[in-house]
Amino acid sequence: MKKLIEISASILAADFGHLARDIKRCEEGGVARFHIDCMDGHFVPNLTIGPVIIEAVRKNTKLPLEAHLMIEHPGDYIESYAKAGADIIHIQAECYGQRRSSCRQWNQWPKEIEKVDIPALRADLKKIRGLGKKASVVFNPGTPLCEEILSDCDGVLIMSVNPGYAGQKFMPEVLPKLTRLKEIFKGDIAIDGGINAQSAPLAVGAGAHVLITASYLFGADNFFDAIKRLKNL
């Protein structure tokens, strides 16, 4: 059975001076979720959102909140984000295993690994689920898909840009990961990075049904048409 397209609005591109207004507009437009990028300046070259912003967003919507932990040692922070109000917690596969030699230092990006430390990743996914939240694992463009961990996940997020900033160009080379997931995984299949009117059909055709969008949505001339266009793919 084909899954309906869900739009997850990434608030990184919202107007933080009018965040409650933008949240309401998203709800009126039919957005299914809110995606919140939590960056520590170490795992990615940017510093953004902590649990306090999750709490603020939680007060303004009943829709599911996704906390995407682009941070080192995510297991130390899972409980904080869960208590703040996140319903879905995404953790990066690259935090679990030996990183490639090109990205082992704190100021070397993007972070990539060849082989996932499955017991360590499984333990943190179990921790998320133990808190009553949905657990999702994220794979950067240069990290291979780890199929052994899928039974421990409620969702998988494929990055179609190297994470750290909004407004980047979609990387079509990640599409085979979506195709493979569609064949073997029954949970949520999400994509994040450069999602717009041109790239979204490619992602949906390959297997994604959760489209995370930031600049395309909040920068659109017609906000509601942008949502409708993606939902109708």
Side-chain angles (χ1 to χ4, degrees):
M1 180 177 178
K2 185 178 180 180
K3 295 184 178 180
L4 294 176
I5 302 300
E6 294 187 33
I7 309 304
S8 184
S10 177
I11 68 166
L12 187 63
D15 182 349
F16 274 67
H18 301 90
L19 187 55
R21 178 205 66 188
D22 280 359
I23 288 171
K24 185 176 181 181
R25 290 175 72 211
C26 287
E27 290 180 333
E28 291 172 348
V31 159
R33 319 173 178 193
F34 289 98
H35 189 86
I36 304 172
D37 290 313
C38 311
M39 308 181 191
D40 65 356
H42 292 264
F43 183 80
V44 290
N46 199 0
L47 184 65
T48 58
I49 292 169
V52 66
I53 302 298
I54 305 282
E55 291 176 357
V57 176
R58 179 77 287 162
K59 293 175 183 177
N60 285 279
T61 185
K62 293 183 178 179
L63 290 179
L65 303 184
E66 305 180 297
H68 180 181
L69 305 189
M70 288 176 267
I71 60 179
E72 299 285 4
H73 310 295
D76 295 341
Y77 300 93
I78 287 169
E79 188 170 356
S80 296
Y81 281 95
K83 287 183 176 179
D87 302 289
I88 302 162
I89 298 179
H90 302 275
I91 53 178
Q92 293 275 164
E94 296 78 18
C95 293
Y96 303 88
Q98 177 75 28
R99 287 185 180 148
R100 291 174 175 162
S101 59
S102 60
C103 58
R104 291 177 186 166
Q105 302 303 314
W106 78 269
N107 61 343
Q108 292 180 313
W109 301 288
K111 303 301 185 185
E112 299 172 344
I113 59 171
E114 291 289 351
K115 187 177 181 181
V116 172
D117 181 342
I118 292 174
L121 177 53
R122 182 169 284 147
D124 278 352
L125 291 168
K126 184 177 180 180
K127 182 185 292 187
I128 294 169
R129 285 176 155 181
L131 292 167
K133 310 299 181 178
K134 289 187 175 181
S136 174
V137 65
V138 188
F139 295 94
N140 280 350
T143 295
L145 191 64
C146 176
E147 297 184 10
E148 295 172 73
I149 202 67
L150 298 182
S151 61
D152 299 278
C153 303
D154 299 294
V156 175
L157 168 54
I158 300 300
M159 292 302 300
S160 44
V161 298
N162 288 313
Y165 295 97
Q168 297 186 66
K169 187 177 179 180
F170 180 82
M171 299 170 66
E173 53 265 40
V174 306
L175 292 174
K177 292 180 184 177
L178 296 175
T179 301
R180 178 58 179 161
L181 281 170
K182 187 178 180 180
E183 294 172 350
I184 62 174
F185 185 60
K186 301 301 183 183
D188 286 344
I189 301 176
I191 189 154
D192 183 11
I195 295 300
N196 55 37
Q198 290 72 47
S199 60
L202 299 175
V204 171
H209 68 273
V210 180
L211 305 176
I212 300 166
T213 180
S215 303
Y216 170 71
L217 175 60
F218 289 104
D221 292 333
N222 191 314
F223 182 87
F224 298 107
D225 279 354
I227 297 173
K228 184 178 180 180
R229 190 175 297 116
L230 296 182
K231 287 183 70 175
N232 288 338
L233 287 173

